[in-house]
Amino acid sequence: MHKNFMERSMSIEANNCPHWKWEKAVPKEVCEALIKEINLDGLEKGQIYRAEESGNLDTKIRNNRMTFMKFNHWFEGIMWNHIRYANASMKLNYFLSGCQPLQFSSYDPDEFYNWHTDSNFFNSVDGVTRKLSAVCLLSDKDSFSGGELKLRADGIETENMLTEQGDLVVFPSAIEHKAFPVIKGTRYSAVLWAVGPPFV
Protein backbone atom coordinates (compact mmCIF):
# COMPACT_ATOMS: atom_id res chain seq x y z
CA MET A 1 0.00 0.00 0.00
CA HIS A 2 1.23 3.46 -0.88
CA LYS A 3 3.06 5.25 1.94
CA ASN A 4 0.98 8.42 1.59
CA PHE A 5 -2.19 6.36 1.95
CA MET A 6 -0.94 5.00 5.26
CA GLU A 7 0.12 8.43 6.49
CA ARG A 8 -3.25 9.97 5.72
CA SER A 9 -5.33 7.35 7.51
CA MET A 10 -6.30 7.55 11.15
CA SER A 11 -8.45 5.49 13.46
CA ILE A 12 -10.68 7.35 15.88
CA GLU A 13 -13.01 5.93 18.51
CA ALA A 14 -14.54 8.97 20.15
CA ASN A 15 -17.82 8.98 22.05
CA ASN A 16 -18.43 5.34 21.10
CA CYS A 17 -18.37 6.32 17.42
CA PRO A 18 -15.74 4.09 15.79
CA HIS A 19 -14.67 5.34 12.40
CA TRP A 20 -11.66 5.44 10.12
CA LYS A 21 -10.84 8.70 8.38
CA TRP A 22 -8.50 9.68 5.58
CA GLU A 23 -7.51 13.27 4.92
CA LYS A 24 -7.46 14.11 1.20
CA ALA A 25 -7.65 10.42 0.33
CA VAL A 26 -8.96 11.16 -3.16
CA PRO A 27 -7.07 13.71 -5.32
CA LYS A 28 -8.81 16.93 -6.34
CA GLU A 29 -8.72 15.96 -10.03
CA VAL A 30 -10.45 12.66 -9.32
CA CYS A 31 -13.19 14.30 -7.24
CA GLU A 32 -13.86 16.84 -9.96
CA ALA A 33 -13.86 14.16 -12.66
CA LEU A 34 -16.78 12.46 -10.91
CA ILE A 35 -18.69 15.74 -10.54
CA LYS A 36 -18.25 16.50 -14.26
CA GLU A 37 -19.66 13.08 -15.09
CA ILE A 38 -22.99 13.83 -13.38
CA ASN A 39 -26.03 15.38 -15.05
CA LEU A 40 -26.68 17.81 -12.22
CA ASP A 41 -30.00 18.91 -13.71
CA GLY A 42 -31.21 15.31 -13.64
CA LEU A 43 -30.72 14.66 -9.93
CA GLU A 44 -33.74 13.38 -7.99
CA LYS A 45 -34.98 14.25 -4.52
CA GLY A 46 -33.41 12.01 -1.90
CA GLN A 47 -35.73 9.43 -0.40
CA ILE A 48 -35.84 7.50 2.87
CA TYR A 49 -35.60 3.72 2.69
CA ARG A 50 -36.64 1.39 5.48
CA ALA A 51 -36.74 -2.39 5.67
CA GLU A 52 -39.63 -3.86 3.66
CA GLU A 53 -40.63 -0.40 2.39
CA SER A 54 -40.16 1.31 -0.91
CA GLY A 55 -38.61 4.76 -0.93
CA ASN A 56 -40.63 7.66 0.39
CA LEU A 57 -40.09 11.39 0.67
CA ASP A 58 -39.81 12.86 4.15
CA THR A 59 -38.34 16.34 3.86
CA LYS A 60 -38.21 16.73 7.65
CA ILE A 61 -35.56 14.01 7.68
CA ARG A 62 -33.97 14.41 4.26
CA ASN A 63 -34.00 17.34 1.88
CA ASN A 64 -31.41 17.05 -0.88
CA ARG A 65 -30.90 15.66 -4.39
CA MET A 66 -29.05 12.54 -5.50
CA THR A 67 -28.55 9.84 -8.10
CA PHE A 68 -27.27 6.28 -8.09
CA MET A 69 -24.42 5.31 -10.38
CA LYS A 70 -24.26 2.09 -12.37
CA PHE A 71 -22.82 -1.00 -10.66
CA ASN A 72 -19.03 -1.28 -10.78
CA HIS A 73 -18.59 2.43 -11.42
CA TRP A 74 -14.90 3.34 -11.36
CA PHE A 75 -15.28 5.56 -8.25
CA GLU A 76 -16.97 2.68 -6.43
CA GLY A 77 -13.68 0.79 -6.58
CA ILE A 78 -11.83 3.61 -4.81
CA MET A 79 -14.30 3.69 -1.94
CA TRP A 80 -14.56 -0.09 -1.71
CA ASN A 81 -10.80 -0.38 -1.17
CA HIS A 82 -11.01 2.14 1.69
CA ILE A 83 -13.92 0.24 3.24
CA ARG A 84 -12.00 -3.04 3.19
CA TYR A 85 -8.96 -1.37 4.74
CA ALA A 86 -11.05 0.26 7.48
CA ASN A 87 -12.91 -2.97 8.23
CA ALA A 88 -9.63 -4.75 8.93
CA SER A 89 -7.84 -1.83 10.61
CA MET A 90 -10.67 -1.16 13.08
CA LYS A 91 -10.65 -4.92 13.75
CA LEU A 92 -14.36 -5.08 13.00
CA ASN A 93 -13.78 -7.86 10.47
CA TYR A 94 -17.39 -7.79 9.29
CA PHE A 95 -18.19 -10.32 6.60
CA LEU A 96 -18.82 -8.19 3.50
CA SER A 97 -20.32 -9.74 0.41
CA GLY A 98 -20.28 -6.63 -1.75
CA CYS A 99 -21.70 -3.13 -1.95
CA GLN A 100 -24.78 -1.30 -3.13
CA PRO A 101 -24.61 1.18 -6.03
CA LEU A 102 -22.58 4.32 -5.45
CA GLN A 103 -24.71 7.33 -4.57
CA PHE A 104 -23.84 10.87 -5.67
CA SER A 105 -25.42 13.46 -3.36
CA SER A 106 -25.90 17.20 -3.78
CA TYR A 107 -26.78 19.70 -1.05
CA ASP A 108 -27.80 23.25 -1.97
CA PRO A 109 -28.42 26.03 0.59
CA ASP A 110 -30.80 24.91 3.38
CA GLU A 111 -30.64 21.28 2.24
CA PHE A 112 -29.69 18.62 4.79
CA TYR A 113 -30.03 15.01 5.92
CA ASN A 114 -31.12 14.91 9.56
CA TRP A 115 -29.94 12.42 12.19
CA HIS A 116 -30.39 8.88 10.89
CA THR A 117 -28.73 5.49 10.60
CA ASP A 118 -28.17 3.59 7.37
CA SER A 119 -28.99 0.27 9.07
CA ASN A 120 -29.81 -1.19 12.46
CA PHE A 121 -27.59 -4.21 11.61
CA PHE A 122 -30.51 -6.65 11.89
CA ASN A 123 -32.89 -5.59 9.16
CA SER A 124 -32.22 -6.82 5.65
CA VAL A 125 -33.29 -6.20 2.09
CA ASP A 126 -32.87 -9.03 -0.41
CA GLY A 127 -31.01 -11.01 2.24
CA VAL A 128 -28.29 -8.47 3.00
CA THR A 129 -27.86 -5.61 5.44
CA ARG A 130 -25.73 -2.47 5.31
CA LYS A 131 -22.71 -2.95 7.57
CA LEU A 132 -20.27 -0.14 6.73
CA SER A 133 -20.94 3.30 5.30
CA ALA A 134 -18.35 5.40 3.46
CA VAL A 135 -18.65 9.09 2.58
CA CYS A 136 -16.23 11.15 0.48
CA LEU A 137 -16.38 14.94 0.18
CA LEU A 138 -16.13 15.82 -3.51
CA SER A 139 -16.44 19.62 -3.31
CA ASP A 140 -13.65 22.10 -2.73
CA LYS A 141 -14.04 23.44 0.82
CA ASP A 142 -14.04 27.02 -0.51
CA SER A 143 -17.03 26.36 -2.80
CA PHE A 144 -19.57 26.02 0.03
CA SER A 145 -20.11 26.59 3.74
CA GLY A 146 -22.06 24.59 6.30
CA GLY A 147 -22.91 21.02 5.37
CA GLU A 148 -20.88 19.41 8.16
CA LEU A 149 -21.01 15.63 8.51
CA LYS A 150 -21.10 14.53 12.15
CA LEU A 151 -21.58 11.21 13.94
CA ARG A 152 -23.45 10.81 17.22
CA ALA A 153 -23.60 8.25 20.02
CA ASP A 154 -25.12 8.56 23.49
CA GLY A 155 -26.23 12.07 22.57
CA ILE A 156 -22.66 13.27 22.00
CA GLU A 157 -21.66 14.57 18.57
CA THR A 158 -18.27 14.25 16.93
CA GLU A 159 -16.46 17.04 15.12
CA ASN A 160 -17.04 17.53 11.39
CA MET A 161 -15.76 14.40 9.67
CA LEU A 162 -15.14 15.93 6.23
CA THR A 163 -13.32 19.26 6.02
CA GLU A 164 -11.18 19.05 2.88
CA GLN A 165 -11.91 17.98 -0.69
CA GLY A 166 -11.17 14.27 -0.98
CA ASP A 167 -11.57 13.52 2.74
CA LEU A 168 -13.13 10.10 3.24
CA VAL A 169 -14.61 8.44 6.33
CA VAL A 170 -15.85 4.90 6.98
CA PHE A 171 -18.07 3.98 9.93
CA PRO A 172 -20.51 1.22 10.97
CA SER A 173 -23.86 1.80 9.28
CA ALA A 174 -25.74 1.58 12.60
CA ILE A 175 -24.10 4.78 13.90
CA GLU A 176 -26.24 7.91 13.80
CA HIS A 177 -24.98 10.66 11.51
CA LYS A 178 -26.17 13.92 10.02
CA ALA A 179 -25.39 16.19 7.09
CA PHE A 180 -26.02 19.66 8.48
CA PRO A 181 -27.70 22.31 6.30
CA VAL A 182 -25.55 23.98 3.69
CA ILE A 183 -25.38 27.75 4.20
CA LYS A 184 -24.09 28.81 0.78
CA GLY A 185 -22.78 27.15 -2.34
CA THR A 186 -23.27 23.46 -3.13
CA ARG A 187 -21.77 20.45 -1.37
CA TYR A 188 -21.23 17.26 -3.38
CA SER A 189 -20.43 13.90 -1.82
CA ALA A 190 -20.16 10.24 -2.77
CA VAL A 191 -21.63 7.54 -0.55
CA LEU A 192 -21.11 3.79 -0.64
CA TRP A 193 -22.59 1.06 1.58
CA ALA A 194 -20.86 -2.26 2.11
CA VAL A 195 -23.33 -5.08 2.70
CA GLY A 196 -23.35 -8.64 3.99
CA PRO A 197 -25.60 -11.23 5.61
CA PRO A 198 -27.55 -10.00 8.66
CA PHE A 199 -25.77 -10.52 11.97
CA VAL A 200 -28.66 -12.66 13.27
Side-chain angles (χ1 to χ4, degrees):
M1 191 168 294
H2 196 279
K3 181 180 179 182
N4 286 342
F5 179 85
M6 295 293 291
E7 288 176 346
R8 291 173 179 167
S9 67
M10 61 188 75
S11 176
I12 306 174
E13 190 164 353
N15 307 325
N16 298 319
C17 287
H19 55 280
W20 198 274
K21 176 182 175 181
W22 289 264
E23 297 176 350
K24 299 183 180 179
V26 182
K28 175 182 179 69
E29 296 78 10
V30 176
C31 292
E32 293 181 351
L34 178 58
I35 296 172
K36 289 178 181 178
E37 195 177 303
I38 305 299
N39 174 15
L40 298 176
D41 293 329
L43 298 179
E44 300 177 352
K45 292 293 291 184
Q47 299 189 11
I48 309 298
Y49 288 85
R50 300 183 178 94
E52 300 179 356
E53 290 185 9
S54 58
N56 61 84
L57 292 172
D58 186 343
T59 54
K60 291 182 180 179
I61 298 177
R62 183 178 190 179
N63 180 22
N64 79 310
R65 296 179 302 138
M66 48 69 64
T67 189
F68 286 104
M69 312 302 291
K70 62 182 180 180
F71 271 113
N72 296 319
H73 186 273
W74 59 268
F75 201 90
E76 176 185 306
I78 295 172
M79 297 189 71
W80 174 247
N81 283 335
H82 285 78
I83 287 173
R84 292 173 59 227
Y85 183 88
N87 188 36
S89 297
M90 286 192 286
K91 295 182 170 52
L92 297 172
N93 296 315
Y94 294 155
F95 179 77
L96 305 176
S97 58
C99 58
Q100 295 177 326
L102 181 75
Q103 182 184 107
F104 177 92
S105 289
S106 170
Y107 293 84
D108 286 326
D110 299 322
E111 292 186 340
F112 61 90
Y113 198 159
N114 218 331
W115 291 111
H116 68 285
T117 64
D118 295 332
S119 170
N120 65 11
F121 277 167
F122 304 111
N123 60 352
S124 64
V125 177
D126 297 328
V128 297
T129 188
R130 291 175 176 175
K131 294 187 173 181
L132 289 172
S133 301
V135 186
C136 178
L137 179 62
L138 301 172
S139 297
D140 187 293
K141 67 175 183 178
D142 295 326
S143 67
F144 72 99
S145 63
E148 298 89 350
L149 174 69
K150 296 185 179 183
L151 313 182
R152 182 172 72 178
D154 300 326
I156 301 175
E157 301 174 13
T158 66
E159 62 184 8
N160 182 19
M161 293 288 98
L162 305 173
T163 57
E164 298 280 348
Q165 186 174 32
D167 282 3
L168 192 154
V169 64
V170 177
F171 53 90
S173 299
I175 288 181
E176 274 193 303
H177 52 288
K178 175 179 178 177
F180 282 73
V182 166
I183 297 172
K184 66 178 181 179
T186 302
R187 173 188 180 271
Y188 299 123
S189 62
V191 183
L192 191 69
W193 300 278
V195 300
F199 288 99
V200 294

